[in-house]
Amino acid sequence: MTPLLELAGVTKRFHAGTPSEAVALRNITLTLAAGDFVTVIGSNGAGKSTLLKTIAGMIAPDAGTISFDGRDITHLPVYRRAATIGRIAQDPGDSTCAAMTIEENLAMAERRGMPRGLRRAVTQTARARFVAALAPIGLGLESRLGIRVVALSGGQRQALALLMATLAGARLLLLDEHLAALDPRTADIVMDLTARVVAERALTTLMVTHKMQDAIRFGNRLIMMHAGAIILDVRDDAKAALTVEALVTRFHEVGSEMTEDRVLLTT
Amino acid sequence: MAQFQALVLNMFEQGFLFAFLGLGVLITFRFFRFPDLTAEGSYPLGGAVAAALLVEGIDPFLASFAAAGAGAVAGTITALIHTKLRINNIIAGIIAMTALYSINLRVMGKANVPLLNTPTVFSETVDGLNRFGFNLHDNVYTTIPIALVLLVAAAVLLVWFFATDLGLAVRATGQNETMIASLGVDTDRTKMVGLALSNAFIAFSGALVAQNHGFADIGMGIGILVTGAAAVLIGEAIFGDRTVAWWVLAAICGTVIYRLLVALALRVGLQPVDLRLVTAVLLLLALTVPRWRVRVLK
């Protein structure tokens, strides 16, 4: 079976050739099977976010190839990968359009990867679909279709972003610390929603998180990054057997500066 | 009383003709959030293309729509400079504006083309109506309703467009480019659509104003972006910021009010040479007054 996503020898340096050169991705090789739900942990600057942005097409790698469903997508721009890849960023402002209404945002998401012409975007039938999609979230957004997203809370916006990322077509979901800006209670609600949506739609998922418990509790596979490399890759039973303590120990082994690391603070 | 009447008529006549400019500037200044200086070239380009064609005996409506088409091309070129050559959008506009100055002179053949003896969209419409038994004259009383009909058509077109799939993508490109690209939209293309549409409206305004004023002039675009921005901001300061339809209405009303304020400034004794100063002050007020209002309400 062809893996859904395959990274081979992907390397990225920032400020190459200058004194501030930093290796963000070091010869990354990673294969995701369809249906894999992979949590990604690592200290700040480990390359987690760069990894997701490179897969999404926002950052071009210096070396290596990225294949999606057997097709080389290394040099495709973001918009040509978008038909099958959805991404949510940490800042709730990034993944939705604040000045536009909930229904307009959903209408844009519904056309993911499809040609956009002069068809009316928000029709009555579209509204009915949006209500059906929003109601199960349980945040009451289905009765507020016409209000602008700027009026929503961070949690509501991330829930909407999750729906927008998964509403149409996407097979790979990239979650780049999408809960980090939320208060703990809201983060739990959006995380439960995330797990539900991923399971329902059988999405292949890469989720960067700094919450160790979430990284252990969700998904079938966990990878740890350090200094641009994947230093731990466990799955299934081995992953289920992981503990926060074991992960912290592992962090110590690779010499992370734990005293300054927020990983410690959130365990 | 006659003075007051003349003031009101002038306000609506000039307001409606310049409102197309306001709508064009609304697209770039509000939706794309940058002042597109192409306007300084595409507005006189509209006047120049219309004038050149009218002098050749081309139908005024055809000439005016050709002017809009030329504006769309100008906007497309600015967009290409910005997206394909990766030049900052303001600099791209300045480059287009600078190039258009020479192009406009080439199109007109001279710095000023009088249109006093050529038909205009206004005289043409009046003649057409008179053939149906009306007895109208080509003056301010006919220009206002003709301009209003064209303006309503343009407003409906804009509101309709910005509710389509493509229209939403164009709006989102100005608001959150990363997000709309991640939904599969080629933002180079949506920027082109937005800038083409904006400059088509601006050039159309130039074509109508040239026909109304009886000449196209190479200098007619100087300061025009600020004029358009002032109109948009005055409208927004009064109407606030809600839906696209509301924004369109605000830009139109803002232009009319701007023309009234200019006419009033002239009435109280300021000279035409002072108008730029008046525009600058109005722009400043439109930018700062809404802030005071918020403070008072809080």
Side-chain angles (χ1 to χ4, degrees):
Chain A
M1 199 180 95
T2 336
L4 189 74
L5 180 74
E6 201 167 11
L7 280 74
V10 172
T11 297
K12 179 69 192 176
R13 286 183 192 83
F14 288 119
H15 315 294
T18 70
S20 54
E21 173 170 321
V23 183
L25 296 178
R26 203 181 294 268
N27 198 22
I28 297 274
T29 293
L30 176 69
T31 304
L32 261 64
D36 265 350
F37 184 166
V38 184
T39 56
V40 186
I41 56 171
S43 51
N44 291 336
K48 311 180 297 286
S49 194
T50 306
L51 176 69
L52 263 60
K53 282 180 175 162
T54 307
I55 296 169
M58 303 167 77
I59 293 175
D62 299 325
T65 59
I66 305 169
S67 312
F68 187 89
D69 209 9
R71 200 165 71 104
D72 184 357
I73 61 164
T74 315
H75 302 291
L76 287 187
V78 173
Y79 75 91
R80 290 188 56 197
R81 303 183 193 202
T84 47
I85 301 179
R87 177 178 167 274
I88 304 179
Q90 176 176 342
D91 185 338
D94 285 352
S95 309
T96 49
C97 191
M100 296 167 79
T101 62
I102 293 177
E103 59 189 16
E104 285 172 336
N105 272 277
L106 288 169
M108 290 190 287
E110 223 183 13
R111 300 293 294 174
R112 168 184 294 280
M114 286 190 263
R116 288 162 207 256
L118 300 177
R119 201 186 58 108
R120 190 173 181 80
V122 182
T123 57
Q124 281 308 322
T125 48
R127 282 201 182 96
R129 283 197 301 277
F130 300 158
V131 168
L134 285 166
I137 296 180
L139 292 174
L141 295 179
E142 64 277 9
S143 60
R144 305 168 73 193
L145 286 181
I147 69 156
R148 286 203 250 175
V149 170
V150 69
L152 302 184
S153 69
Q156 289 171 323
R157 284 184 75 160
Q158 288 304 67
L160 179 64
L162 186 68
L163 200 59
M164 288 171 64
T166 56
L167 197 60
R171 294 165 63 197
L172 175 66
L173 183 60
L174 304 174
L175 304 170
D176 195 354
E177 297 217 37
H178 70 307
L179 309 174
L182 308 180
D183 65 80
R185 208 180 68 84
T186 314
D188 286 344
I189 294 172
V190 179
M191 187 59 234
D192 286 343
L193 179 66
T194 306
R196 210 162 76 205
V197 170
V198 167
E200 269 170 20
R201 304 196 178 236
L203 293 167
T204 309
T205 305
L206 265 174
M207 180 175 86
V208 174
T209 179
H210 65 267
K211 278 177 82 175
M212 301 281 221
Q213 295 108 319
D214 282 357
I216 294 169
R217 196 173 135 217
F218 295 96
N220 64 326
R221 186 173 167 192
L222 179 149
I223 62 178
M224 186 192 285
M225 292 185 71
H226 179 71
I230 295 174
I231 55 161
L232 184 69
D233 185 346
V234 290
R235 56 169 71 226
D236 305 324
D237 293 344
K239 175 178 180 291
L242 283 173
T243 60
V244 171
E245 291 72 27
L247 287 176
V248 171
T249 309
R250 181 76 185 141
F251 263 119
H252 276 299
E253 284 169 18
V254 298
S256 276
E257 296 168 46
M258 295 303 288
T259 47
E260 285 178 33
D261 206 293
R262 61 193 166 124
V263 165
L264 240 196
L265 303 174
T266 52
T267 47
Chain B
M1 194 61 211
Q3 257 196 358
F4 174 75
Q5 193 184 7
L7 187 77
V8 171
L9 287 174
N10 180 272
M11 166 183 91
F12 282 115
E13 183 187 42
Q14 298 306 307
F16 290 164
L17 296 177
F18 278 99
F20 294 90
L21 167 76
L23 293 179
V25 172
L26 175 72
I27 295 171
T28 46
F29 196 67
R30 265 297 151 240
F31 293 173
F32 279 0
R33 298 200 267 197
F34 85 100
D36 176 25
L37 280 151
T38 315
E40 302 269 318
S42 61
Y43 178 79
L45 175 69
V49 168
L53 292 175
L54 286 171
V55 169
E56 291 296 319
I58 305 285
D59 176 80
F61 279 95
L62 204 60
S64 303
F65 288 120
V73 172
T76 305
I77 290 170
T78 302
L80 287 173
I81 295 172
H82 169 51
T83 57
K84 301 300 175 194
L85 304 179
R86 299 188 190 174
I87 309 279
N88 166 288
N89 51 20
I90 294 175
I91 306 291
I94 292 173
I95 291 169
M97 168 189 101
T98 307
L100 282 168
Y101 186 86
S102 293
I103 290 168
N104 292 340
L105 272 173
R106 283 285 179 193
V107 169
M108 293 197 291
K110 51 190 172 182
N112 186 295
V113 177
L115 296 171
L116 295 172
N117 301 315
T118 60
T120 67
V121 290
F122 309 107
S123 71
E124 188 88 342
T125 307
V126 167
D127 289 349
L129 287 172
N130 284 346
R131 253 174 261 138
F132 288 98
F134 289 90
N135 184 22
L136 301 170
H137 298 281
D138 180 17
N139 56 29
V140 66
Y141 294 101
T142 47
T143 300
I144 290 175
I146 293 167
L148 183 61
V149 168
L150 288 172
L151 190 56
V152 169
V156 168
L157 180 80
L158 267 191
V159 172
W160 165 79
F161 174 72
F162 282 115
T164 63
D165 284 326
L166 180 60
L168 289 191
V170 170
R171 276 165 65 201
T173 300
Q175 304 287 334
N176 190 342
E177 191 177 340
T178 313
M179 168 262 180
I180 195 68
S182 78
L183 291 177
V185 170
D186 177 0
T187 53
D188 285 3
R189 197 173 137 255
T190 46
K191 282 177 185 172
M192 210 149 78
V193 171
L195 282 179
L197 194 62
S198 163
N199 284 288
F201 274 88
I202 293 168
F204 191 69
S205 192
L208 291 185
V209 169
Q211 292 173 65
N212 175 258
H213 289 187
F215 63 87
D217 190 274
I218 189 65
M220 67 192 276
I222 299 172
I224 209 72
L225 176 63
V226 175
T227 306
V232 168
L233 287 167
I234 288 170
E236 205 174 281
I238 293 169
F239 284 74
D241 145 29
R242 296 185 205 172
T243 61
V244 173
W246 199 257
W247 260 331
V248 165
L249 188 67
I252 293 171
C253 295
T255 313
V256 173
I257 292 162
Y258 171 77
R259 298 312 307 188
L260 173 70
L261 295 174
V262 168
L264 282 175
L266 290 173
R267 203 50 65 94
V268 298
L270 290 168
Q271 300 299 308
V273 291
D274 303 320
L275 281 185
R276 288 288 154 72
L277 186 62
V278 172
T279 302
V281 171
L282 287 176
L283 189 59
L284 209 54
L285 287 175
L287 283 168
T288 48
V289 168
R291 252 184 280 160
W292 302 339
R293 194 172 59 182
V294 170
R295 221 173 289 159
V296 170
L297 288 177
K298 277 176 182 171

